[in-house]
Amino acid sequence: MIKLYHASALVLGALAITACSPQAAAPQSESAEATPPPPTMEPAMTQTAYSASEMKMHDAMMAANGADVSEVWARKMIPHHQGALDMSQVVLRDGTDPDIRRMAQKTIEMQTRDIAELQQWLQGRPSGGADASARTAFMPVETRMKDAMMAASAADADHLWARKMIAHHHGAIEMARVVIAGDPDAAVRTMAQKTIDMQSEDIREMESWLSAHSGSPSA
């Protein structure tokens, strides 16, 4: 009985030593090292007084579709112009510079007329149908515009409006070039060329204002 007791004690001691040894703990350590770290969260986008208008515009533009390149362009440009209206209302509320207020008011008047013109053209179009390739043709431009507008920054509402609107108008110009290259309806070609001419003029005016007010012409 004494011999059996000593043998059992020796076996239990050996098991205890093995369990406490580094080799025994290694599998647990390796398992812990193999566990991937939690995903890194992307930094939150800086929110401004213009953010809600921007996101509403971008979402509506991305959702717009149509039967051909002319209709897709028209349906995307309506929320694009509405975005300019909404952002201009913000700067009229929060901004103080008289030249910016004048430009914002001009933007509201011009883009309101453009929206009415686009809506009138769409009323004469037969409903139904969707051209996926025509919609896809505008997506790179929309993405570039969204990124440029979101990246624009400034310490005050006036400078921020100008910088965001420059990116906004560049997007309109690029989209107009896309639709012109797609052999659009004659009326759409006319509207697209007018967009290029007018928004190019607006960009020059905003860049001039930024330069005169210690701001960079581009965001």
Side-chain angles (χ1 to χ4, degrees):
M1 292 295 293
I2 295 173
K3 290 181 179 180
L4 288 175
Y5 174 80
H6 284 302
S8 299
L10 289 172
V11 170
L12 291 173
L15 290 173
I17 292 171
T18 301
C20 295
S21 67
Q23 289 81 1
Q28 183 178 0
S29 176
E30 289 172 2
S31 176
E33 290 177 1
T35 302
T40 302
M41 299 298 291
E42 292 291 331
M45 184 67 68
T46 301
Q47 295 294 303
T48 72
Y50 300 104
S51 296
S53 299
E54 290 179 80
M55 292 310 301
K56 177 184 173 183
M57 176 187 72
H58 292 309
D59 289 347
M61 288 179 67
M62 292 298 288
N65 205 349
D68 54 34
V69 69
S70 297
E71 185 178 353
V72 171
W73 178 79
R75 294 194 182 280
K76 286 182 179 292
M77 287 307 295
I78 288 173
H80 181 273
H81 290 336
Q82 185 63 51
L85 297 182
D86 294 343
M87 293 174 66
S88 295
Q89 292 288 359
V90 172
V91 81
L92 287 175
R93 181 194 70 200
D94 298 343
T96 58
D97 185 89
D99 288 329
I100 289 292
R101 295 180 66 84
R102 174 184 53 77
M103 285 187 274
Q105 188 60 51
K106 182 180 73 171
T107 296
I108 291 172
E109 293 167 1
M110 290 171 54
Q111 310 261 294
T112 298
R113 289 195 298 267
D114 288 344
I115 289 173
E117 188 175 16
L118 290 164
Q119 289 174 332
Q120 183 178 9
W121 180 83
L122 285 168
Q123 286 175 0
R125 299 278 297 178
S127 60
D131 186 340
S133 62
R135 182 185 181 191
T136 301
F138 292 98
M139 287 186 177
V141 174
E142 293 176 86
T143 299
R144 285 194 297 272
M145 181 184 69
K146 178 180 179 180
D147 291 345
M149 289 182 69
M150 291 294 187
S153 62
D156 61 77
D158 295 316
H159 282 79
L160 188 55
W161 180 84
R163 288 176 176 153
K164 285 184 178 291
M165 290 305 294
I166 287 171
H168 174 277
H169 286 1
H170 274 303
I173 292 169
E174 286 193 67
M175 290 180 66
R177 288 173 177 159
V178 170
V179 74
I180 288 173
D183 192 22
D185 174 278
V188 166
R189 180 182 293 274
T190 299
M191 287 188 283
Q193 187 58 55
K194 182 179 71 171
T195 295
I196 292 172
D197 296 340
M198 295 176 66
Q199 306 229 337
S200 294
E201 181 181 345
D202 288 345
I203 288 171
R204 287 191 292 269
E205 186 175 17
M206 292 172 192
E207 288 178 339
S208 177
W209 182 89
L210 283 170
S211 179
H213 292 78
S214 301
S216 172
S218 60

